[in-house]
Amino acid sequence: MTKKTPNPIDVFVGSRVRLRRLMVGMSQEALADRLGVTFQQVQKYEKGTNRISASRLQAISDVFRVPPSFFFQDDENAVPAAGVTHETGDVSTFVSSKEGLDLNRAFLKIDDAGVRKSIIALATALSKASAGAEAGERADNASELRI
């Protein structure tokens, strides 16, 4: 028997449920209580293992005070086309992580635009330095292999 893989749209909608839940600081247990399901069911929804029915999606929307369309949007202006597989990118994955949410919340509390730009410049410089170091390590390893 082959293992059934979740539909990419179900995975995307589930990831948006998780993102919103983390944004509002709600646990899986609390969401499950509000929906009248088990927290394991919420886990399955968030992973895309179980599909979310229209009525359940409306209930989730009511809990989070967002329209149901929120769960289909990649950003505020884009909606994935029906039937198109949607891969959750690195940015979406990071933003929905605990570290990503913490970083975003802290960054949004900084009122000074100059400080925000400095933080972005620092992060950019650090990422370039890290990428350069990794490229240097690969070059060093490659030269060692040639010897």
Side-chain angles (χ1 to χ4, degrees), residues 104-117 119:
N104 279 304
R105 285 185 182 126
F107 188 80
L108 291 172
K109 290 179 183 177
I110 300 170
D111 293 327
D112 187 330
V115 172
R116 284 184 178 201
K117 287 180 183 178
I119 291 170

Side-chain angles (χ1 to χ4, degrees), residues 6-13 15-16 71-75 78-90 92-93:
N7 182 296
I9 294 174
D10 295 332
V11 172
F12 180 76
V13 170
S15 73
R16 295 290 291 178
F71 301 104
F72 296 95
Q73 298 172 342
D74 192 12
D75 62 31
V79 178
V84 175
T85 60
H86 188 286
E87 297 290 329
T88 303
D90 292 340
S92 297
T93 301

